[in-house]
Amino acid sequence: MPTTPTAPADAAPTPVDLRAVIFDVDGTLADTELNGHLPAFNQAFAEAGLGWHWSAPEYLRLLAIAGGKERMIHYARTQHPDVAARADFAEFITHLHQEKTRHYAARAAAGATPLRPGIRRLLDEIADAGLTAAIATTTTLANVHALLRAQLGAGGEKRFAVIGAGDSVARKKPAPDIYQWVLAELGLSSEACLAIEDSAIGVAAARAAGLPVVVTAHAGSIGEDFSGARTVLDGLGDPAPSEGARALAGTPPADHAVTLADLRRWHAESVR
Ligand code: XBP
Ligand code: MG
């Protein structure tokens, strides 16, 4: 019986071999929204004497708007037009966001936003296999640095070959800009990469950039429209302590927790 020829181990990667995994940050690398961003927003609002306070359900609704500045502008315009009418509104929001970012970074540095199960292990598997890890996020670059330093140590950022964040592009998710920026920096085609996302607007951005996408949903995003994703999981899972990864749509991982082999398989299924 003819056997399928397997490429010798040192064979050059083919155009569709998986070369890089591009991670979203908020909700994917770590549960940062309710543990980090929301309390930071509310602290900045209180210090500014605004009388604004976002509850968790309200904040989860506001996440449909990508970007902290954009979210506050939307909230002011729809809920507090008197504030939106201020002559210095743009500077006011910029300053409020800088204060919010300072509070977020302090919370991240204090360990309030741990990595989701399986992230550390998967980063090791990606590095051991000689593949590349990168980041494509809407959040501010300073927040990414604070999170990675707190959770991965001083050289944490170096685990990612490219970090695309916040205002490095004109349009935020669901526009594809941040993913296109990261692909250009990596010098790779979308077919050679796989994105990992947690939200509908994140999946839309990655798909618009032509990327195959795997979703790791969480309590705040389960039920969103993940059309176009290869598979939707409730997390990556970890062998120890035993935390399985359940498929909510699409194909499950081969075993208990998601491995690089699973990512390669979902990528291959997406690009063939
Ligand atoms: C999610 C976002 C971010 C954060 C707030 O980013 O929409 O705006 O909620 O961060 P991701 P900033 O793409 O990683 O899911 O206040 O820094 O914008
Ligand atoms: Mg996200």
Side-chain angles (χ1 to χ4, degrees), residues 24-28 33 173 197-199:
D24 167 56
V25 172
D26 297 307
T28 301
E33 296 291 6
K173 299 174 182 177
E197 269 284 357
D198 74 302
S199 68

Side-chain angles (χ1 to χ4, degrees), residues 24-27 33 37 41 59 63 65-71 97 100-101 136-140 143 172-173 197-199 201:
D24 167 56
V25 172
D26 297 307
E33 296 291 6
H37 294 295
F41 278 114
Y59 184 67
L63 283 178
I65 297 147
K69 286 192 292 292
E70 294 79 358
R71 208 167 291 146
H97 193 251
K100 175 258 166 180
T101 301
T137 177
T138 301
T139 197
T140 307
N143 294 338
K172 297 187 174 166
K173 299 174 182 177
E197 269 284 357
D198 74 302
S199 68
I201 56 175

Side-chain angles (χ1 to χ4, degrees), residues 132-158:
T132 298
I135 281 177
T137 177
T138 301
T139 197
T140 307
L141 188 58
N143 294 338
V144 181
H145 287 167
L147 174 72
L148 297 180
R149 278 189 208 128
Q151 297 299 322
L152 296 171
E157 295 105 315
K158 297 197 182 64

Side-chain angles (χ1 to χ4, degrees), residues 120-133 159 260:
R120 208 181 296 278
R121 173 180 54 77
L122 210 51
L123 287 173
D124 291 342
E125 289 182 31
I126 290 166
D128 294 347
L131 271 65
T132 298
R159 306 213 39 189
L260 179 56

Side-chain angles (χ1 to χ4, degrees), residues 4-12 14 17:
T4 317
T6 51
D10 59 354
T14 71
D17 276 351

